[in-house]
Amino acid sequence: MTTVPHQAALVALVIPNSRWQGKKGWMILPHAALILTALLKEEFDFRILDANAADLSEDDVRSWLREHQPRAVLVSALAVEYHRQYHAVPALVRESCPDAVTILGGVYPTVLGEEVLRDPNIDWIFVGHAEERAVDFLKQVLAGETERVRALPGVGYRDERGEPVINPVASYITAVKKLERPDYSLIDVAAYVDQASKDYQFNARERSAPIISSYGCPYNCLFCATRTISGRGVVYRPVEEVLEEIDFLRTKFGVRHLVFIDDCLLGNRPRIEALLGAMLSRGWGLTWKAASVAAWHLDEPLLKLMKASGCVQLTISVESGSPRVLNQVIRKPLKLASVEPVVRWCREIGIDLGANFVIGFPGETWEELRMTFAFADRCAFDLVHFHIATPLPKTDLYRLAKDAGVLPADFDFRDPKYLGYAQAFIATDEFTPFELMVLRAFEWDRINFCTPERTAKAARMMNMTLEELAEHRRQTRRKLGVHVATAKEPAPGTPQH
């Protein structure tokens, strides 16, 4: 491998087209690319080929690689569901610029590193966060200092026998001294914020963008992979920096709606009050929603501030209507008595409220399943989502299900039949996968659409016409939610009703 000074080396981040191989498009601003831009553009000749935003074919990517001959090609791999697209890029690199180093980073190699390294086209995997690590790693890779790179924490490779070796991470993002500010300069932001296409993810009619104002979560839920990725803790970005990012998206790209996708948005009360108070005082007139918040962080004064600052919708993660399952199985520190006041406050204040529930845990009884639906029905949320318990890599749920012997013999995280939160495959003495799927699909329909008024509100929250919603419901009943052929299919990793 030729040694090249890192300043002269072209380093390319290739974002695969999510539509390759017949998959549905997944258009959401690539946050990892924004962080990598901030880290790398001053240190290297760093460029981004965003095949997703430009809807490029594999031939288009192949041609670009042949023309530019990068010395290193990075692939940011977020969702396991799109693993085939991620592996397609290193294969194209081997054809087009065989001397280039290929590196896969992100959630997928962090949780399934050994499987990723079975691909001979991938030279390195980079596990965990890039802040304070990526620059030195790349400098050493490009200098050909293989042994030094192999000694770095959070790096994976194949040894002389071809066996995967993954060094444990030394720290998580919650230990980073200074978080990088997202740098949008190399991304076609307009391609991601316009919500006109069916590939866009936010169920919004206006230009919308995701915001991440913090990383990590301090809790210990059975099914969650956040601990593996970010550690057990939270680190918050400075409020002024978040405000500057929002103002940039608003003034430069006409964003009118924000989606906070933090795992623990409300965990620091003084900080969230400062952030929302500043949004209100600046008079931007934006609307916003939060994808998942903890009910125990909400009270009437905070909800009133949220509404005044532009909040139009919240989703709380309740998970179960059984106190035993909630506290002893899922390990979620939620008291069910705290939920119904939140529903009442949101209705009085004028915030649409959704709720997430999960059914089908090993050790859960049939009666406890029914308690979950009864609780969701009684609370009368504006929209409820029911997920089927799905083991994710390196989670306690996976270890529990594996040890209990309730997974299929051919279970594979990357097998399409085991992806998504509508397909059941855990079987116990209390329920079968088919029973879970039938119960979930028909209770979702019964609870959400029990009156014309609730049906109309659900349609608005899902950004569907009543006609589209009627077809969505029909397909859900007939296919039990595994696939819904409408123009408003949900994003990967969200419930497919």
Side-chain angles (χ1 to χ4, degrees):
M1 187 176 296
T2 305
T3 301
V4 180
H6 67 83
Q7 294 90 344
L10 172 57
V11 175
L13 170 65
V14 178
I15 302 175
N17 190 340
S18 55
R19 306 166 192 83
W20 289 345
Q21 303 187 37
K23 288 288 287 183
K24 181 187 181 299
W26 184 12
M27 290 294 287
I28 184 171
L29 269 166
H31 185 76
L34 310 180
I35 299 301
L36 287 171
T37 301
L39 289 166
L40 305 181
K41 77 174 187 179
E42 301 300 330
E43 297 284 345
F44 306 92
D45 179 6
F46 179 66
R47 307 181 201 178
I48 296 177
L49 177 63
D50 191 347
N52 201 39
D55 196 12
L56 302 180
S57 68
E58 293 185 52
D59 283 340
D60 294 330
V61 173
R62 184 184 290 109
S63 297
W64 190 94
L65 292 168
R66 284 175 176 165
E67 178 183 353
H68 292 88
Q69 292 294 307
R71 282 289 298 118
V73 175
L74 317 180
V75 181
S76 177
L78 179 59
V80 175
E81 183 171 348
Y82 284 83
H83 66 275
R84 291 180 298 172
Q85 284 82 343
Y86 305 139
H87 286 278
V89 173
L92 294 171
V93 172
R94 285 291 172 261
E95 294 178 33
S96 310
C97 41
D99 291 333
V101 180
T102 56
I103 304 163
L104 214 68
V107 172
Y108 172 42
T110 296
V111 300
L112 287 175
E114 291 189 2
E115 289 83 346
V116 172
L117 285 168
R118 300 294 179 191
D119 183 346
N121 295 319
I122 296 172
D123 296 314
W124 303 94
I125 65 170
F126 190 86
V127 175
H129 63 88
E131 289 87 340
E132 300 178 348
R133 301 173 54 221
V135 171
D136 288 342
F137 165 75
L138 272 174
K139 285 179 180 179
Q140 292 180 38
V141 166
L142 292 172
E145 298 176 354
T146 302
E147 292 308 312
R148 289 185 63 186
V149 178
R150 286 185 170 191
L152 292 174
V155 166
Y157 57 93
R158 286 180 300 279
D159 64 16
E160 290 73 13
R161 298 171 299 169
E163 293 299 314
V165 177
I166 303 172
N167 300 334
V169 296
S171 63
Y172 294 98
I173 193 168
T174 49
V176 170
K177 294 182 178 64
K178 184 179 182 301
L179 296 173
E180 292 296 327
R181 300 178 61 156
D183 186 330
Y184 291 80
S185 62
L186 300 182
I187 285 289
D188 181 5
V189 178
Y192 285 100
V193 300
D194 185 351
Q195 300 293 296
S197 164
K198 67 180 181 179
D199 292 336
Y200 296 88
Q201 306 303 329
F202 293 136
N203 291 335
R205 293 175 175 83
E206 58 271 300
R207 288 195 161 203
S208 304
I211 291 290
I212 301 177
S213 79
S214 65
Y215 303 94
C217 179
Y219 302 109
N220 193 34
C221 293
L222 178 80
F223 50 76
C224 187
T226 297
R227 294 190 305 282
T228 301
I229 300 161
S230 302
R232 190 174 174 184
V234 186
V235 59
Y236 294 97
R237 295 175 56 199
V239 167
E240 279 302 319
E241 182 183 305
V242 176
L243 291 167
E244 289 172 10
E245 182 178 0
I246 293 171
D247 196 30
F248 169 77
L249 291 167
R250 180 184 71 89
T251 57
K252 182 78 171 177
F253 298 103
V255 167
R256 303 301 305 161
H257 182 69
L258 306 170
V259 183
F260 285 95
I261 56 176
D262 303 39
D263 287 312
C264 195
L265 176 65
L266 309 180
N268 184 321
R269 181 64 173 257
R271 177 186 179 274
I272 192 63
E273 289 178 343
L275 176 60
L276 299 182
M279 291 172 62
L280 173 60
S281 66
R282 297 186 185 197
W284 288 335
L286 302 176
T287 59
W288 64 271
K289 66 182 176 182
S292 179
V293 295
W296 60 86
H297 288 149
L298 294 168
D299 57 28
E300 191 171 13
L302 180 58
L303 284 165
K304 286 181 176 178
L305 176 59
M306 295 167 87
K307 175 65 176 179
S309 68
C311 180
V312 293
Q313 183 177 325
L314 296 173
T315 301
I316 59 175
S317 295
V318 182
E319 319 303 17
S320 178
S322 161
R324 187 194 74 84
V325 172
L326 192 63
N327 301 134
Q328 296 181 27
V329 177
I330 301 176
R331 306 190 304 249
K332 195 174 191 75
L334 171 67
K335 296 185 185 302
L336 290 175
S338 69
V339 174
E340 290 184 79
V342 172
V343 179
R344 184 179 69 253
W345 293 327
C346 285
R347 185 167 295 118
E348 293 170 352
I349 293 167
I351 296 175
D352 293 339
L353 184 65
N356 288 322
F357 292 88
V358 185
I359 62 170
F361 292 99
E364 186 174 16
T365 69
W366 183 258
E367 290 308 314
E368 287 169 330
L369 291 174
R370 301 297 299 154
M371 290 170 67
T372 290
F373 294 106
F375 183 80
D377 196 4
R378 183 170 72 252
C379 286
F381 299 98
D382 294 309
L383 185 65
V384 288
H385 306 284
F386 297 108
H387 310 252
I388 293 175
T390 302
L392 300 176
K394 296 188 177 179
T395 61
D396 290 345
L397 175 57
Y398 171 64
R399 287 185 280 270
L400 174 65
K402 184 178 180 182
D403 291 346
V406 296
L407 294 175
D410 64 346
F411 177 78
D412 186 322
F413 290 113
R414 299 186 294 180
D415 189 322
K417 68 184 177 184
Y418 299 128
L419 292 169
Y421 302 120
Q423 175 68 57
F425 48 85
I426 289 176
T428 74
D429 292 339
E430 290 287 330
F431 50 77
T432 67
F434 179 72
E435 287 174 320
L436 288 177
M437 293 171 68
V438 170
L439 186 65
R440 171 188 180 271
F442 282 84
E443 287 288 72
W444 171 81
D445 191 88
R446 179 184 68 84
I447 293 170
N448 279 316
F449 313 113
C450 56
T451 68
E453 292 77 18
R454 288 189 63 177
T455 301
K457 174 167 273 193
R460 176 171 57 78
M461 292 175 68
M462 298 168 74
N463 196 19
M464 291 183 177
T465 66
L466 288 173
E467 292 74 19
E468 288 172 331
L469 179 57
E471 179 60 20
H472 188 75
R473 294 172 60 191
R474 185 178 301 115
Q475 293 295 331
T476 295
R477 296 191 301 270
R478 294 176 182 178
K479 299 180 180 179
L480 300 184
V482 174
H483 174 74
V484 183
T486 77
K488 302 293 183 182
E489 290 185 76
T494 61
Q496 299 180 34
H497 298 299

